[in-house]
Amino acid sequence: MSDNDRIEDVWGPRTPHDAGSEWPSRVDSYLQSDAVEESDVDQWVSSVCLLCSNGCGIDIAVSDGEMVGVRGRETDRVSKGRLGPKGLYGWQGEKTDRLTEPLVRNDAGELEAVDWDTAMNTIVEHSQQLLDERGPLSHGFYTSGQLTAEEYYTLAVIGKAGLGTPHMDGNTRLCTATAASAFMESFGTDGQPASYSDIEHTDALFCFGHNVAETQTVLWARMLDRLHGDDPPALVCVDPRRTEVAEEATVHLPIRPGTNQALMNGLTQQLIEHGWINEDYVHQHTIGFDDLRAVVDEYPPDRVAEICELDAQDIRDAAELFGTAERPLSTVLQGFYQSHQATAASCGVNNLHLLRGAIGRPGAGILQMNGQPTAQNNRETGADGKLTGFRNWDNPEHVAELAELWDVERDMIPHWSSPTHAMQIFRYAEEGSIGFLWIAGTNPAVSLPELSRVRRILSGDQCFVVVNDGYRTETTELADVVLPAALWGEKTGCATNVDRTVHLAEQAVEPPGQARSDLDIWLDYADRMGFETQSGRPLPWWSTPEEAFDEWKKASEGRLCDYSGMSYDMLRDSDGVQWPCTEDDPEGTERLYTDAEFGTHPDYCETYGHDLATGATVTETEFRARNPDGRAILKAIHYTDPPGAPDSEYPFRLTTGRTVYQFHTRTKTGRAQQLHDAAPDPWAELSATDAERLDITEGDQIRVSTPRGSIEVPARVTSSRDGTVFVPFHYGGGDGTANELTLTAWDPVSKQPQFKVCGARVERVGPGREDEETQPDRSRGDPPFVGPPPETEDEEQSDTEQEAQPEAEDGEQPEAEQKAQPETENGGD
């Protein structure tokens, strides 16, 4: 095994160091084959890895016009030269099975190749007809967390100022919406307070529902180098599974899924009871303490232990570690975001830091993590439906600012109600009120919950579906028009990571065939639609990534996510720049809220807030009456039982998540041989106790069932908590698609789906499969074959949506006629 083998040695060699010292560099690199030497490389092109949310600086090796390798950038502020398995190998997936020409569904129901004019004219014809007949609310957009800032901003302008639709969101709703909501509820606006460099200074790390060892491998390597130093920080891990993080932890809290809010109330109760709070900071810089205390007083350790099925002493120990640390640093991810009471529990993490005054100082802060490399850009620019630049939909002055910037009538920008979240967009598409849905850079036919319903929505004739993608996927096979998209390394644009670090990713090679960037696709659409400003200029009026970035800078100026001090030339000369970056702070800003001045001024804030239990909005009048005026807001609610909880028929708690070797639905990583071979097929994990009780041994085929469906996968017997079954969500097109099982329910504030709490049944089917002929051919590293989607006409719609979400629209759903589905020889996944 070489030092660069990230399959066997995922996190690479340790470089331990002490608190306060700089993280040492370690450069990882990989060239495609033994036949390629470094001397064969014509140029190294500066970029950023887009296969997790860490945002590691990376250089692309180019030879004869092709990508042939990568290396980490030694001076990069995020990675110091390191790359994880997906960063080192995943780019190879771009060289296989690419879409190279547009496809349009013909009268026989088959997707056939056409030229760009035919494809775009088909799109524009349907779009214009719906606009004329039903107006802008007939249009919806569902994008990604993997496009560029320039592409998101361009689409936001087209959607808000060109069409005037509020129906815009991204798959960021599935992974990062709660991070944004928690920040807005506590601090008045989105934006990560902490910096990755705080890991070098912290004396206590807390990972709340964050399996960092698999989701952000380079970030975990950074933590490991502190944990293995001479003065390591304490580590507390909140996770029902016995992960690598749990193995390193000082205290592991293997929490019962769905009970995070009870735990956060309990930890807060302990801080207050023992006086582990900074009373001066709380008095001067927060509001809501008395209400907070009234709630958490009811959650002593013994009660929390009973709810969460934890040891009460472990709860006390974790609270003491947080309460007595000088520089606590918390990270939060899907274990909280995709669970019950997601926003409330994530605000609970913010509360801990505010009570200690542990924010805005080296080593003390919060990282409400993202799940994707450019999720932050989606949120900032407004492609997720929010008002561009962290502005407030309910503030007429904020709407007027954008109307002036975009030179359109103020009422053209939809602001009469909150933007439409992804789950509601698909509901409207199901009903047919959204008759035109444009999907880009994502594969909802694998990643959304309750997939039988999603297939029915996308395949029905009630909605015209357009998809931009680099591959044929489960989703493209249901679309009416498929457009071949340029991917990473084939276009130029910016990416902003979790700790607000902005990198410029330069184009290294030409896209294959006729593929185009999403920026060029949307500019072409806007031009054909004839969108114009009041002055008669084309809308948008830019044509290149750099021009788009310069326009985005103007939109961000004066807001927390201020890019106005950046330029392409500046980013080319940097190793990553953190926003806000302005004329006064030309080198960027390492930490937010160093002066304890928060974004809660009524004329500045991004939201007036919500009731964390019901999602009901706080009015401007109510918000002003509380007089936050730059102070953070402490919020807590009581714990309630989650929907879809286990019962006698479905006694297990199903939770889903990621594996270190794959990303999302494997469209790219499943085509990289090293990654595919490391994790080719899905599985299900259960505890040794549960396995023995059910007579299941390692490798046995088991059936995992919920009221929505079932899958059959091999069993992995682990040391995770009893009564919980875990399934990775990456795998589509077969018997192991996790989201066949998940329910349609979401958090009332962030609207993020609850992938991690529902009842399930586990049964042994038989011994492990020994007939290799029944398995996909691994010798060439091909991804599993994706055939036509399952027939949907006989599937009955589950009623779990109505049960789980009382605020969802009621009424019977129309029967959607089905688009004919083609056989595909080499579909993507």
Side-chain angles (χ1 to χ4, degrees), residues 467-530:
V467 177
N468 300 359
D469 210 305
Y471 310 89
R472 292 187 78 150
T473 69
E474 290 88 345
T475 301
T476 65
E477 301 313 295
L478 302 174
D480 295 283
V481 177
V482 179
L483 301 178
L487 300 178
W488 172 87
E490 300 165 358
K491 58 185 179 182
T492 293
C494 288
T496 304
N497 78 340
V498 171
D499 80 340
R500 299 169 283 106
T501 298
V502 184
H503 286 95
L504 177 62
E506 302 268 20
Q507 181 176 351
V509 297
E510 293 297 320
Q514 301 176 42
R516 297 179 181 178
S517 70
D518 295 276
L519 176 66
D520 288 340
I521 291 170
W522 284 323
L523 289 173
D524 187 8
Y525 166 73
D527 180 61
R528 291 171 189 261
M529 291 292 290

Side-chain angles (χ1 to χ4, degrees), residues 26 87 92 209 351 431 441 589 591 612 646 680 750 781 793 803-804:
R26 187 199 79 204
Q92 297 168 101
N351 291 339
E431 296 172 335
T589 305
R591 296 175 188 86
L612 297 184
S750 69
E793 56 224 34
E803 293 173 359

Side-chain angles (χ1 to χ4, degrees), residues 41-352:
V41 176
D42 298 328
Q43 60 177 330
W44 292 91
V45 179
S46 177
S47 189
V48 58
C49 181
L50 296 186
L51 286 172
C52 82
S53 65
N54 208 53
C56 301
I58 192 171
D59 295 327
I60 303 171
V62 179
S63 179
D64 294 329
E66 293 187 9
M67 288 189 283
V68 296
V70 293
R71 70 181 179 196
R73 194 173 310 124
E74 183 174 9
T75 56
D76 184 68
R77 70 166 307 276
V78 170
S79 62
K80 299 295 185 180
R82 293 163 182 79
L83 293 173
K86 294 186 286 290
L88 207 60
Y89 308 121
W91 58 274
Q92 297 168 101
E94 294 194 7
K95 302 166 79 74
T96 304
D97 298 335
R98 292 289 300 278
L99 276 168
T100 58
E101 53 191 349
L103 306 174
V104 172
R105 194 170 298 281
N106 60 25
D107 292 340
E110 299 175 343
L111 289 172
E112 67 176 4
V114 298
D115 58 40
W116 271 98
D117 275 342
T118 300
M120 294 305 296
N121 287 339
T122 302
I123 293 169
V124 168
E125 178 184 347
H126 282 79
S127 178
Q128 193 64 64
Q129 181 178 349
L130 281 167
L131 280 179
D132 293 343
E133 294 176 355
R134 293 158 51 185
L137 297 184
S138 62
H139 283 56
F141 293 86
Y142 183 64
T143 58
S144 176
Q146 300 168 58
L147 308 182
T148 68
E150 296 82 352
E151 289 169 333
Y152 292 127
Y153 180 63
T154 298
L155 180 62
V157 172
I158 290 171
K160 292 174 170 61
L163 288 164
T165 180
H167 303 327
M168 305 182 73
D169 205 352
N171 65 8
T172 51
R173 183 67 54 186
L174 313 183
C175 66
T176 190
T178 298
S181 290
F183 285 143
M184 289 189 284
E185 296 297 326
S186 297
F187 308 136
T189 183
D190 195 357
Q192 299 282 351
S195 175
Y196 284 163
S197 58
D198 287 321
I199 295 169
E200 278 77 84
H201 302 279
T202 188
D203 59 353
L205 270 168
F206 289 75
C207 293
F208 292 99
H210 182 200
N211 183 11
V212 58
E214 297 206 53
T215 56
Q216 290 92 14
T217 56
V218 171
L219 186 62
W220 178 236
R222 191 169 193 157
M223 293 177 178
L224 281 174
D225 283 347
R226 276 297 322 280
L227 292 167
H228 290 196
D230 289 336
D231 54 350
L235 173 63
V236 174
C237 170
V238 180
D239 196 314
R241 301 167 65 210
R242 187 73 182 176
T243 63
E244 293 287 341
V245 180
E247 292 290 344
E248 290 278 346
T250 312
V251 177
H252 175 213
L253 298 174
I255 191 168
R256 176 166 70 92
T259 63
N260 297 325
Q261 182 58 26
L263 175 64
M264 297 316 300
N265 285 347
L267 294 175
T268 307
Q269 185 270 347
Q270 286 288 283
L271 260 62
I272 295 172
E273 179 178 284
H274 290 281
W276 294 324
I277 63 175
N278 185 331
E279 293 186 1
D280 289 341
Y281 190 97
V282 170
H283 177 71
Q284 295 177 30
H285 302 300
T286 73
I287 63 172
F289 177 75
D290 290 342
D291 291 339
L292 174 78
R293 179 168 56 186
V295 172
V296 304
D297 275 352
E298 299 184 27
Y299 293 85
D302 288 341
R303 184 189 177 202
V304 174
E306 182 178 355
I307 294 172
C308 301
E309 297 178 2
L310 295 171
D311 185 286
Q313 188 57 48
D314 287 343
I315 296 170
R316 294 186 183 96
D317 290 345
E320 183 174 2
L321 286 172
F322 197 99
T324 58
E326 294 183 12
R327 299 175 301 279
L329 176 65
S330 295
T331 69
V332 192
L333 197 56
Q334 314 297 27
F336 272 41
Y337 300 166
Q338 293 178 343
S339 192
H340 181 49
Q341 297 180 297
T343 302
S346 299
C347 285
V349 178
N350 298 342
N351 291 339
L352 295 179

Side-chain angles (χ1 to χ4, degrees), residues 748-789:
V749 180
S750 69
K751 315 300 184 187
Q752 184 157 351
Q754 298 179 7
F755 290 105
K756 295 187 181 293
V757 282
C758 72
R761 181 172 61 245
V762 177
E763 307 163 89
R764 184 179 185 273
V765 175
R769 296 177 181 172
E770 298 180 358
D771 180 7
E772 291 299 324
E773 292 183 3
T774 68
Q775 298 298 299
D777 179 9
R778 308 296 180 204
S779 62
R780 292 175 290 110
D782 294 338
F785 172 78
V786 175

Side-chain angles (χ1 to χ4, degrees), residues 567-582:
S567 67
Y568 268 28
D569 286 341
M570 173 195 185
L571 292 170
R572 287 186 176 107
D573 292 337
S574 77
D575 294 308
V577 179
Q578 292 173 282
W579 63 248
C581 176
T582 65

Side-chain angles (χ1 to χ4, degrees), residues 185-188 282-289 291 596-605 607-609 618-635:
E185 296 297 326
S186 297
F187 308 136
V282 170
H283 177 71
Q284 295 177 30
H285 302 300
T286 73
I287 63 172
F289 177 75
D291 291 339
E597 183 74 12
F598 298 94
T600 55
H601 295 279
D603 294 332
Y604 180 85
C605 64
T607 181
Y608 301 127
V618 175
T619 67
E620 180 183 357
T621 300
E622 292 169 332
F623 188 78
R624 288 183 180 275
R626 298 195 68 186
N627 191 31
D629 199 32
R631 291 177 290 172
I633 303 172
L634 297 166
K635 288 187 173 186

